[in-house]
Amino acid sequence: MDVYNFVDNIKTREDLIHFITLLRKDYEESSLEWENADLSKYLEALEASTADISGSYKNQGISFPEQPSWQLIAKLLLMAAYYE
């Protein structure tokens, strides 16, 4: 399963660890496709996507969770790779 399909199945810390492994492999195999392939840009995008995530939920008609989940952390990590 690839990183994009796995992100919606994350429920546990172990799932998140596996997701991070998949994300690293995705970077190693296709970093040229990432919008934010260097660490500085990635961290800047992670900051921005974390700040904007509640709006993303709102745009989808989904209520933003009061407490973050392992899945939310994974979604932020993935968003940061492509966030503009």
Side-chain angles (χ1 to χ4, degrees):
M1 185 174 292
D2 69 24
V3 68
Y4 309 99
N5 293 320
F6 190 76
V7 71
D8 291 325
N9 299 310
I10 295 172
K11 307 237 183 307
T12 66
R13 183 176 68 98
E14 290 75 19
D15 291 341
L16 179 62
I17 292 167
H18 181 67
F19 170 82
I20 293 170
T21 299
L22 293 173
L23 186 63
R24 178 180 48 80
K25 288 179 181 178
D26 184 73
Y27 174 79
E28 290 169 353
E29 294 170 4
S30 58
S31 63
L32 294 176
E33 296 174 17
W34 282 36
E35 181 70 28
N36 302 301
D38 72 55
L39 183 58
S40 180
K41 287 183 179 181
Y42 181 82
L43 291 174
E44 182 180 354
L46 181 59
E47 176 186 3
S49 58
T50 301
D52 292 345
I53 189 80
S54 60
S56 177
Y57 272 69
K58 184 178 179 181
N59 290 341
Q60 296 175 48
I62 304 169
S63 60
F64 187 70
E66 290 292 320
Q67 294 295 315
S69 65
W70 297 116
Q71 185 181 64
L72 179 61
I73 294 168
K75 287 182 176 185
L76 288 167
L77 293 171
L78 184 58
M79 282 177 61
Y82 298 98
Y83 191 88
E84 292 184 42

